[in-house]
Amino acid sequence: MKNKSTSFKSLIDKLIMSLTTSRSSSSMSGPQCCENPPAISSAAVSGELFQIASLNAHVSGNPGSKSAVIFVSDVFGYEAPKLRQLADKVASAGYYVVVPDFFHGDPLTSFNDIENWLKNHSPEQAVEFAKPVIQALKEKGITKIGAAGFCWGAKVVVELAKIAEIQVAAILHPSLVTLDDIKGVKIPIGIFGAEIDQRSPPELIKEFEAAVVANEVNHFVKIYPGVAHGWTVRYKDEDEAEVKCANEAHQDLVDWFGKSF
């Protein structure tokens, strides 16, 4: 069996290859893992900034809710406005939603030092940061906790799901998630895929679906046509079709948590 350090190195190597391949991909493939980065601003965001388990977090929704959802961002971090707007939308359905800063103020800003950045910000590390957040939510009186992971964050959410730290999972345009990972998930999981995705192509999403069906896991699986990796939180405002598809996925995410909690 591989030791933990070997597994960690393999994970980093895969992510570096994934991100650098994304840089050289054809523009016809659409925005991929780290293309179309968000412009950081506070526009149209209604949540507040709190500290939870020593992490800064965007928090939205009813603090008296018994159900919470943790958002785990892509490599661009928790300040991305569209990510926070989606958190606010999920919160409006009655949940307490938190978007922690798992990067400790150091999101990816360029490719100049990407290898070192990834070594300092692996999904494995974020899983350990997430556990105290989950514990803090439980101490608030929250009894049901779900999590939604975007791209890089999807790996974190799947790892939390495999060890039953959460009760409901959602992964949107996932990166680094393997078929074996999905086979280890025993809680309800929603899988949101893009038709144009180098990281998790439709063929892999269909394999994920077959695995959860075989394991008799409650699930939602959908491949959204005409959009590329990252579209749910990095869609272009001027692209009406992309915005429409993002909004569809956002509502599907709200509905998924509503069905599963």
Side-chain angles (χ1 to χ4, degrees):
M1 185 173 71
K2 293 182 180 179
N3 61 38
K4 188 172 182 180
S5 62
T6 301
S7 175
F8 174 79
K9 183 179 185 302
S10 175
L11 183 66
I12 293 299
D13 289 344
K14 286 179 182 178
L15 188 52
I16 291 170
M17 182 177 295
S18 171
L19 298 183
T20 54
T21 299
S22 173
R23 294 180 68 190
S24 61
S25 64
S26 166
S27 61
M28 289 184 67
S29 67
Q32 292 291 323
C33 228
C34 290
E35 295 180 353
N36 192 30
I40 304 303
S41 74
S42 59
V45 173
S46 61
E48 299 180 275
L49 185 66
F50 288 121
Q51 193 169 76
I52 299 179
S54 80
L55 297 181
N56 288 332
H58 171 83
V59 177
S60 187
N62 178 8
S65 175
K66 297 299 182 181
S67 299
V69 177
I70 300 170
F71 271 32
V72 188
S73 75
D74 60 18
V75 294
F76 294 112
Y78 87 123
E79 291 185 288
K82 289 174 180 173
L83 178 72
R84 290 187 174 190
Q85 288 166 18
L86 179 52
D88 293 346
K89 179 170 183 174
V90 172
S92 70
Y95 308 112
Y96 187 65
V97 181
V98 298
V99 191
D101 179 13
F102 289 117
F103 302 143
H104 295 85
D106 183 34
L108 182 68
T109 56
S110 76
F111 288 101
N112 292 339
D113 195 28
I114 190 169
E115 293 189 25
N116 286 329
W117 186 90
L118 290 170
K119 289 174 183 176
N120 292 326
H121 303 295
S122 76
E124 283 187 349
Q125 291 168 320
V127 169
E128 297 308 310
F129 299 146
K131 291 177 181 178
V133 173
I134 292 169
Q135 183 59 35
L137 292 174
K138 290 179 179 178
E139 291 172 0
K140 264 182 61 68
I142 289 169
T143 57
K144 296 180 180 179
I145 299 174
F150 303 80
C151 188
W152 176 96
K155 177 70 172 179
V156 180
V157 169
V158 168
E159 291 300 317
L160 292 171
K162 285 160 63 176
I163 57 176
E165 289 283 343
I166 54 178
Q167 286 76 57
V168 185
I171 57 175
L172 301 93
H173 34 85
S175 287
L176 294 177
V177 177
T178 67
L179 182 57
D180 283 342
D181 286 332
I182 296 298
K183 288 178 178 178
V185 173
K186 306 301 181 185
I187 65 168
I189 183 167
I191 303 172
F192 298 65
E195 181 183 20
I196 308 165
D197 196 333
Q198 297 170 352
R199 309 282 71 81
S200 293
E203 294 78 12
L204 181 59
I205 297 297
K206 290 175 182 177
E207 290 182 359
F208 289 173
E209 182 175 22
V212 294
V213 169
N215 285 338
E216 299 182 343
V217 172
N218 186 20
H219 62 278
F220 169 86
V221 180
K222 187 171 179 178
I223 298 170
Y224 295 79
V227 290
H229 183 93
W231 96 98
T232 66
V233 289
R234 299 206 303 273
Y235 54 88
K236 298 183 182 69
D237 292 322
E238 65 275 15
D239 188 327
E240 291 185 9
E242 201 170 77
V243 170
K244 181 179 178 181
C245 205
N247 286 334
E248 179 183 341
H250 297 167
Q251 188 58 52
D252 287 341
L253 182 63
V254 172
D255 293 344
W256 167 244
F257 283 120
K259 175 184 177 182
S260 303
F261 268 125

